[in-house]
Amino acid sequence: NDNNLPAAVGRLEAEIFEHVTIGGNAFYNPKSEGTRPTRLVSDQIGYGADLLAHALGFTALVGFVGKSTSSPGTALSAESAIGILGQLHYLNQKTGIGGAIRFALFDPNNKDPADDVSELALMLSLTLKNAPLRVLLQYTHREEAPGVSVANDGLDAMLQVTW
């Protein structure tokens, strides 16, 4: 939370059928910014939903998140943010080789038409059979609106240890 008031957070999931899970989440966060007498108190409400399906080594995920911020008792208008994502992953259990593709679109503020960001990520992985180790390589292409003069694509190499 962002002050002395509690922030409520919740999530529900339900497994429907054998290979499908649907989920939803929400939060309420009263936020205080600044010092008295000019302190601004705003109400943040967040929400989301997702659908996960897996079969034959494939896992598909689709999700949506949103946030609304309002400042009661002020002349400030409400703001909202949204994000959506879709992901497909495959893991060959025999070899430990996996691959994934993910697309995400974010609009961090509906008041600014020039702040949208989209990402397309490609990932390759190798899960070692005789060690609790996973090696990952991910390339991420980012697009911003309007276009930026410096590309900020990324190439990440990761090592995951599980025990």
Side-chain angles (χ1 to χ4, degrees):
N1 64 346
D2 290 303
N3 54 30
N4 292 333
L5 299 172
V9 179
R11 175 162 176 85
L12 292 174
E13 280 187 355
E15 188 172 307
I16 53 176
F17 312 114
E18 187 177 340
H19 301 285
V20 178
T21 303
I22 187 166
N25 54 60
F27 73 82
Y28 170 72
N29 182 34
K31 183 177 182 180
S32 301
E33 298 178 88
T35 58
R36 291 184 179 160
T38 58
R39 178 175 291 159
L40 176 64
V41 177
S42 59
D43 293 328
Q44 295 181 332
I45 297 172
Y47 42 89
D50 52 83
L51 178 72
L52 177 71
H54 54 92
L56 304 171
F58 287 93
T59 302
L61 171 68
V62 221
F64 169 82
V65 291
K67 182 178 84 170
S68 175
T69 304
S70 62
S71 302
T74 70
L76 298 173
S77 60
E79 297 177 356
S80 64
I82 62 165
I84 58 170
L85 71 94
Q87 175 177 301
L88 181 63
H89 175 261
Y90 175 75
L91 176 62
N92 183 306
Q93 294 290 341
K94 290 181 181 182
T95 64
I97 296 174
I101 184 167
R102 178 181 60 240
F103 176 77
L105 176 64
F106 305 105
D107 181 3
N109 188 330
N110 69 320
K111 302 284 182 183
D112 186 351
D115 67 349
D116 292 6
V117 177
S118 64
E119 292 185 350
L120 179 64
L122 303 171
M123 184 268 298
L124 291 173
S125 69
L126 174 63
T127 303
L128 301 180
K129 292 181 180 183
N130 299 325
L133 197 60
R134 184 175 176 208
V135 181
L136 300 105
L137 185 63
Q138 177 175 301
Y139 170 74
T140 305
H141 173 71
R142 294 178 182 89
E143 290 282 333
E144 298 179 44
V148 293
S149 59
V150 178
N152 60 0
D153 291 359
L155 182 63
D156 299 306
M158 299 165 272
L159 186 64
Q160 178 181 345
V161 178
T162 306
W163 64 91

